Amino acid sequence: MRKKISAAHWKMFKNTKESLAFLDEFLPAIAGHDRDDILIFPTATSLSTVIDRVQDTNVRAGAQTMHWLNEGPFTGQTSPTMLTSIGTTHVLLGHSERRLYANESYEHVNLKLKAAIAHDLIPVLCLGEMLADRQTGYTKDTLLAQMGAALANLPTEKAQTLVIAYEPVWAIGTGSTATPEAADQAHAIIRDDLKNRFGPVVASATRILYGGSVKPDNVSSLLCMPNIDGALIGGASLDPGALAAMVKYKI
Ligand code: PEP
């Protein structure tokens, strides 16, 4: 049995004060809920404060990106050791908005992923096809190419903690959620590729999250699918009541 993950991705929303106000409402609402893992990815300026605030709760906090080197002349970047020094446990890598607006390639993601694992940060690797890929029948090819580049030369023993988020780009922030069947099919492709790469044990243990317009009214139908091990939630995670409701989805 894979423990499911509910992950909130706040993108460039919520300053430190707003993050704390969110937690004041959210934490009591999910207290004692240990069925699933709960993650929050706040902005870089709020991360340290959020980590301190969720200590002694069942919530963990992660960074939205990082560089692969520990230090250097890289303006605006944050390194793996800077993240671990404040108690960060997870890092999102390869989110489509980073690929689109920050020119991040899967070759960069590969370097970041290896650096994260080397520093005991749990990478949440984001993958997903564009609408044109889906419409022209290239979803599988796209996912396999992204997996191939992001996971190149990663030895099996390093793949144990990996989390993957399947996020079809056409579903992010659009309200066009993938159907549970389409999402499950994409997850099955990813799991099959994990099996070819790392063997059946890693493939069956790896959590694969779905992201793309997850809301309180569709979360249960997605999370009851056999290959969907949780949700990465953007817009709908900004409201503490909505996130608490999604964390406590019923099957
Ligand atoms: C995301 O950006 O990771 C995401 C899933 O966003 P949304 O839930 O708003 O589609």
Side-chain angles (χ1 to χ4, degrees):
M1 266 302 272
R2 295 180 289 268
K3 193 172 185 185
K4 292 203 195 297
I5 299 176
S6 294
H9 174 29
W10 286 353
K11 312 191 190 204
M12 199 171 72
F13 292 97
K14 295 195 191 296
N15 61 27
T16 304
K17 201 171 157 200
E18 291 161 341
S19 301
L20 287 172
F22 177 100
L23 293 172
D24 283 345
E25 206 175 321
F26 177 68
L27 292 175
I30 52 90
H33 178 91
D34 51 15
R35 179 187 61 183
D36 307 317
D37 289 337
I38 305 170
L39 305 176
I40 296 180
F41 293 91
T43 59
T45 54
S46 299
L47 181 57
S48 178
T49 305
V50 170
I51 288 170
D52 290 347
R53 180 68 182 84
V54 301
Q55 243 182 12
D56 304 322
T57 76
N58 49 344
V59 178
R60 291 290 165 266
Q64 296 181 7
T65 185
M66 67 170 204
H67 200 277
W68 57 90
L69 294 175
N70 283 338
E71 56 184 12
F74 303 108
T75 304
Q77 298 280 6
T78 310
S79 79
T81 48
M82 289 167 187
L83 292 179
T84 53
S85 73
I86 58 166
T88 312
T89 51
H90 293 71
V91 60
L92 275 186
L93 296 176
H95 190 279
S96 64
E97 286 155 14
R98 299 284 314 163
R99 286 183 272 137
L100 185 63
Y101 303 123
N103 233 353
E104 191 165 294
S105 68
Y106 276 105
E107 284 67 34
H108 290 149
V109 173
N110 178 252
L111 295 171
K112 293 174 182 214
L113 191 123
K114 289 175 181 160
I117 292 167
H119 290 91
D120 293 328
L121 284 160
I122 298 175
V124 179
L125 167 64
C126 301
L127 309 166
E129 81 283 2
M130 309 277 284
L131 185 58
D133 300 320
R134 179 157 285 270
Q135 287 174 333
T136 52
Y138 278 95
T139 299
K140 181 173 180 178
D141 290 343
T142 303
L143 294 178
L144 294 184
Q146 292 173 340
M147 293 278 286
L151 301 174
N153 305 315
L154 186 71
T156 298
E157 68 274 13
K158 302 277 184 198
Q160 315 287 333
T161 60
L162 180 66
V163 175
I164 293 182
Y166 167 64
E167 298 209 304
V169 178
W170 49 269
I172 296 179
T174 60
S176 296
T177 320
T179 63
E181 294 72 23
D184 195 66
Q185 215 170 46
H187 286 222
I189 290 168
I190 293 168
R191 201 175 300 287
D192 208 44
D193 189 58
L194 286 171
K195 190 171 168 194
N196 294 336
R197 258 168 225 292
F198 304 121
V201 176
V202 170
S204 65
T206 301
R207 271 95 56 92
I208 307 176
L209 317 184
Y210 168 79
S213 297
V214 175
K215 307 257 186 290
D217 63 1
N218 61 25
V219 66
S220 293
S221 63
L222 288 156
L223 267 58
C224 70
M225 301 305 284
N227 280 298
I228 302 185
D229 307 313
L232 179 57
I233 308 159
S237 75
L238 295 170
D239 177 83
L243 184 61
M246 289 184 283
V247 165
K248 295 180 179 173
Y249 69 90
K250 291 195 177 58
I251 292 207

